[in-house]
Amino acid sequence: DTGVSQDPRHKITKRGQNVTFRCDPISEHNRLYWYRQTLGQGPEFLTYFQNEAQLEKSRLLSDRFSAERPKGSFSTLEIQRTEQGDSAMYLCASSLEFRAYEQYFGPGTRLTVT
Amino acid sequence: AQSVSQHNHHVILSEAASLELGCNYSYGGTVNLFWYVQYPGQHLQLLLKYFSGDPLVKGIKGFEAEFIKSKFSFNLRKPSVQWSDTAEYFCAVTEGTGFQKLVFGTGTRLLVSP
């Protein structure tokens, strides 16, 4: 499968713990996006990278959230000191820079904070 | 800030019925408009897109959407739905000439009964 992959698919954690998610984009895509989707809502933009540079961050991305894309390939999203309000589906998408309107989404990581 | 409204949260139709899902956006400048679909157990995928030109856009699987600038609307239509169209449909917008982040509506769950 050459689509966007995310790992893990499900994560259950206790409040206060740190969690890290991984996204592997389509190999030739230099743009990578993170979105968050809560129940009954559409995806909300969190941040995006062009190659290894993080070019935009949403105000939704509090100080407890950090995203990296160190080599311009896979990306990680870390949430520190998780809170129950962090429970959501975290979606990753990728695109080519010059076809950024065609974002390909991964299956998501569902986070449950207990 | 840019926002997208989808007024129908749940729609139930019988096979062969016609479909129209509403989408309104708030931004008054240049916009790029999208419909994404998420079939049960699958990733979000692009159904159709509008950038400029003919306001009637045709997408995959017989779907079409019409951009009406004066109404800030981009409604999705299909003349005759099939059971396989059961899915969640999201309208999304990007502002201006950039495609950095998609702003999604809350989605419409469509159930087509055979």
Side-chain angles (χ1 to χ4, degrees):
Chain A
D1 184 52
T2 57
V4 178
S5 62
Q6 293 186 246
D7 183 68
R9 296 289 303 276
H10 302 273
K11 178 70 176 179
I12 300 174
T13 191
K14 291 185 178 179
R15 190 177 56 183
Q17 298 294 304
N18 298 344
V19 294
T20 300
F21 311 139
R22 177 179 170 126
C23 171
D24 286 88
I26 293 172
S27 58
E28 63 268 28
H29 285 183
N30 56 353
R31 282 202 177 175
L32 187 148
Y33 311 80
W34 286 99
Y35 292 84
R36 181 175 69 186
Q37 185 176 16
T38 53
L39 202 60
Q41 301 297 317
E44 296 173 292
F45 172 80
L46 292 179
T47 188
Y48 91 97
F49 293 83
Q50 183 159 304
N51 300 311
E52 64 275 10
Q54 188 173 18
L55 296 187
E56 187 172 345
K57 289 173 22 173
S58 162
R59 282 171 289 181
L60 293 175
L61 216 63
S62 76
D63 291 345
R64 297 184 296 105
F65 288 70
S66 62
E68 294 183 342
R69 194 182 183 199
K71 297 182 180 179
S73 56
F74 72 91
S75 175
T76 58
L77 178 68
E78 180 183 17
I79 309 174
Q80 296 183 327
R81 304 181 304 281
T82 52
E83 301 173 356
Q84 286 188 321
D86 298 331
S87 295
M89 177 74 86
Y90 290 84
L91 295 168
C92 178
S94 70
S95 75
L96 292 167
E97 177 184 356
F98 298 107
R99 291 180 69 88
Y101 52 82
E102 284 188 7
Q103 295 185 22
Y104 291 81
F105 283 81
T109 293
R110 183 170 293 284
L111 173 66
T112 302
V113 182
T114 61
Chain B
Q2 177 72 272
S3 67
V4 178
S5 299
Q6 292 183 245
H7 309 295
N8 313 102
H9 298 294
H10 293 90
V11 172
I12 301 173
L13 294 173
S14 299
E15 275 194 313
S18 64
L19 171 71
E20 181 160 3
L21 301 182
C23 172
N24 289 91
Y25 60 92
S26 63
Y27 186 65
T30 302
V31 291
N32 310 292
L33 297 154
F34 307 81
W35 276 97
Y36 277 80
V37 60
Q38 188 167 23
Y39 297 102
Q42 295 189 26
H43 311 179
L44 267 172
Q45 56 184 284
L46 183 63
L47 195 56
L48 50 78
K49 58 187 182 285
Y50 171 80
F51 302 146
S52 62
D54 188 344
L56 186 62
V57 179
K58 294 193 184 298
I60 60 173
K61 302 186 180 184
F63 286 91
E64 64 180 31
E66 185 175 13
F67 171 55
I68 303 179
K69 189 174 182 178
S70 61
K71 295 185 178 180
F72 298 89
S73 71
F74 189 57
N75 292 356
L76 181 71
R77 300 195 294 247
K78 186 171 184 178
S80 176
V81 295
Q82 299 172 316
W83 175 79
S84 59
D85 294 324
T86 293
E88 189 159 18
Y89 294 81
F90 293 92
C91 183
V93 172
T94 64
E95 296 179 28
T97 56
F99 296 97
Q100 286 80 0
K101 61 182 180 185
L102 292 161
V103 177
F104 285 87
T106 53
T108 297
R109 285 189 183 274
L110 172 66
L111 175 63
V112 180
S113 57

